[in-house]
Amino acid sequence: MAEVLPYAPLPIEQDGIRYAYGPHSSPRPEVRPGHTDEFELDHSTRYLGNSRRLWIHTPHGHHPDEPAAVIFFNDGWLYLDPDGDVRAGTVLDNLAADGAIPPAIGVFVDPGIHLVDGVVQKNRNVEYDAFDARYADFLLHEVLPLVESRFAVSPEAGMRAICGGSSGGNAAFTAAWMRPESMGKVIAFNSSFAQMPGGNPYPRLLAEAPRHPLRIFLHAAHRDLNWNHPTSNWFAENLKTAAALAENGYDFRLVVGDGGHSPNHGGVLLRGALRWLWRDPSAD
């Protein structure tokens, strides 16, 4: 049976648009909150001299011996913050209470930081915009073992997802592209493919490379940076990537929203994106 969506008026002005959150982005009185542990990674073999914070979130009642899905969130605290734009911990708690996705552990990883002449510098763009396997390998070989030392996790690529926005969306897409045998699901909100060194590689790669076994949720905003410019057009590069996914038979979904470069719409979409990633494909 077809789903009937509620009527929503079309906004005439597109600048400054914000989307309202649904009930699953806020704590529900009948859902007990999950548990979050914070860690400090003070060194890395792949990003020398950088430290970072990360958080491991498990829904209430999670059994540590039950092999679980793992969902990596780039820009960790930005996505975990219960008062922020994404509120992913709350979303995961509500999804678990509803049984809407398999038991899942949220792993929220901040970008690295380091000191230069006593001043804190972020390593975010170095890690997130690069077109190589280093960030994927950092997650799989330096972060995931920390999770595995505390919980049973599924070894299946289809039980691992990675989520991010802006440059974090680049990192999510690239990590899964480079290591599809270990990460099978992607959520990329407002990706900044246009600012990757050398430009957006994916329209060409998606056409030329053998199809990767990935399921991908893309989001773009119509008023993203340079949306009506001939170059460095963040909106257009997301559309080109989506078109290449479509033309080459990928299991993907594209949602285009109004508004600018903001995590707000992605936060509103997160619950639905996760449910879609773990949907039964036989129901399509």
Side-chain angles (χ1 to χ4, degrees):
M1 181 180 295
E3 183 176 357
V4 178
L5 300 178
Y7 169 78
L10 183 70
I12 302 304
E13 299 295 333
Q14 292 178 269
D15 295 326
I17 293 288
R18 283 187 63 83
Y19 288 84
Y21 292 92
H24 302 285
S25 294
S26 298
R28 289 162 31 194
E30 75 279 14
V31 175
R32 297 183 65 176
H35 180 77
T36 304
D37 288 313
E38 180 178 348
F39 301 88
E40 178 83 18
L41 290 184
D42 57 8
H43 68 279
S44 168
T45 59
R46 288 165 178 83
Y47 297 108
L48 296 176
N50 282 272
S51 64
R52 75 192 67 228
R53 297 185 302 167
L54 68 86
W55 297 261
I56 299 175
H57 180 86
T58 52
H60 175 75
H62 180 82
H63 198 291
D65 296 326
E66 180 180 3
V70 172
I71 307 170
F72 295 104
F73 291 90
N74 302 329
D75 288 308
W77 179 249
L78 178 71
Y79 277 64
L80 180 60
D81 183 357
D83 299 315
D85 280 314
V86 183
R87 313 174 190 181
T90 301
V91 171
L92 291 175
D93 289 345
N94 289 331
L95 283 168
D98 295 339
I101 65 172
I105 300 167
V107 184
F108 297 82
V109 185
D110 267 357
I113 58 172
H114 56 275
L115 292 177
V116 176
D117 297 328
V119 178
V120 174
Q121 301 289 327
K122 295 181 179 180
N123 209 44
R124 184 175 187 269
N125 292 104
V126 171
E127 296 173 8
Y128 288 1
D129 290 336
F131 181 65
D132 58 39
R134 185 159 57 146
Y135 186 67
D137 290 342
F138 164 72
L139 293 178
L140 292 170
H141 301 299
E142 298 187 47
V143 174
L144 187 60
L146 184 64
V147 182
E148 292 173 323
S149 69
R150 291 160 173 79
F151 303 99
V153 302
S154 173
E156 299 177 17
M159 289 287 280
R160 294 181 186 165
I162 182 167
C163 173
S166 190
S167 289
N170 299 349
F173 204 109
T174 299
W177 179 264
M178 292 291 179
R179 296 290 182 258
E181 73 285 354
S182 299
M183 296 183 190
K185 292 177 164 63
V186 178
I187 298 175
F189 297 133
N190 271 343
S191 294
S192 53
F193 296 126
Q195 75 170 12
M196 294 177 69
N200 180 6
Y202 291 111
R204 175 183 59 81
L205 288 172
L206 289 162
E208 295 177 356
R211 188 190 312 161
H212 288 29
L214 301 174
R215 182 174 289 179
I216 300 167
F217 185 98
L218 284 184
H219 162 262
H222 192 244
R223 287 296 190 267
D224 209 338
L225 300 179
N226 300 320
W227 68 273
N228 58 352
H229 290 198
T231 59
S232 299
N233 188 318
W234 293 25
F235 175 55
E237 293 300 334
N238 277 283
L239 299 185
K240 292 175 185 178
T241 301
L245 288 167
E247 291 166 352
N248 293 283
Y250 275 80
D251 183 3
F252 89 104
R253 185 167 183 172
L254 170 68
V255 174
V256 177
D258 291 312
H261 195 73
S262 163
N264 159 252
H265 195 198
V268 173
L269 293 169
L270 180 61
R271 176 180 185 270
L274 289 168
R275 290 182 64 222
W276 180 83
L277 284 181
W278 264 280
R279 79 195 190 283
D280 180 358
S282 66
D284 290 352

